[in-house]
Amino acid sequence: MHVIFGYKVEIDEKATREWYDAASEWGCSCGSCRNFLTLAYKRELPAPVLAALDDLHIPPEKATYVCELYSDSKGSCYQFSYRIAGTIIDGNERVSARKSWGAVCCCHDPYPYGAPDFPKPHFDLEFNVVLPLSEVTYEK
């Protein structure tokens, strides 16, 4: 059993690592997603996000879902997720835990997004974070 941001979960580390080893980066090429990919490659996501991803051997640029929710004077609020092989044992799905750097929850979203072939069972580690606009934007 693992605890991720207060959620008790069982993780199939081997299946998760193997899927991400073979996966491509997030595939959308819109300006918002290119900004996210730039920040992910530069490892400019919040430290707790990077620490959780590093523990799971998930490259930040291989998100299974990315969406810019809105922009304001502080930056752009992104919702982004990473799929994990395993199950949620304890924790209120879809109720995000507020942190000083954003919000996070473990949930199960049946829509495949960027992971249509992900092993089952699985759940999503979902973040809502305000990120800055990068001066240099990633190009495929």
Side-chain angles (χ1 to χ4, degrees):
M1 183 183 69
H2 295 68
V3 177
I4 300 178
F5 298 108
Y7 292 83
K8 293 179 184 173
V9 296
E10 287 290 337
I11 297 174
D12 183 336
E13 293 178 33
K14 182 178 183 281
T16 300
R17 184 181 298 181
E18 286 175 354
W19 190 89
Y20 281 98
D21 284 348
S24 298
E25 68 190 20
W26 177 246
C28 180
S29 60
C30 77
S32 297
C33 287
R34 286 194 328 264
N35 184 65
F36 174 84
L37 283 172
T38 299
L39 297 170
Y41 273 115
K42 290 167 61 177
R43 297 187 58 82
E44 292 182 6
L45 303 179
V49 172
L50 294 172
L53 296 176
D54 289 348
D55 286 347
L56 295 165
H57 305 282
I58 298 173
E61 67 275 8
K62 293 187 178 182
T64 53
Y65 178 72
V66 177
C67 180
E68 179 188 33
L69 301 176
Y70 63 86
S71 293
D72 63 20
S73 61
K74 297 176 187 174
S76 294
C77 182
Y78 284 89
Q79 181 179 70
F80 54 98
S81 302
Y82 299 87
R83 193 148 283 177
I84 299 169
T87 56
I88 300 169
I89 297 170
D90 187 35
N92 193 353
E93 288 189 46
R94 292 288 181 201
V95 175
S96 296
R98 295 249 176 237
K99 306 292 183 184
S100 61
W101 46 266
V104 60
C105 73
C106 286
C107 56
H108 182 264
D109 194 331
Y111 190 77
Y113 297 119
D117 59 345
F118 206 89
K120 292 181 181 178
H122 57 70
F123 64 93
D124 298 288
L125 180 57
E126 183 178 279
F127 298 97
N128 286 319
V129 178
V130 174
L131 298 173
L133 180 62
S134 180
E135 291 182 24
V136 178
T137 304
Y138 172 79
E139 294 290 336
K140 286 188 178 192

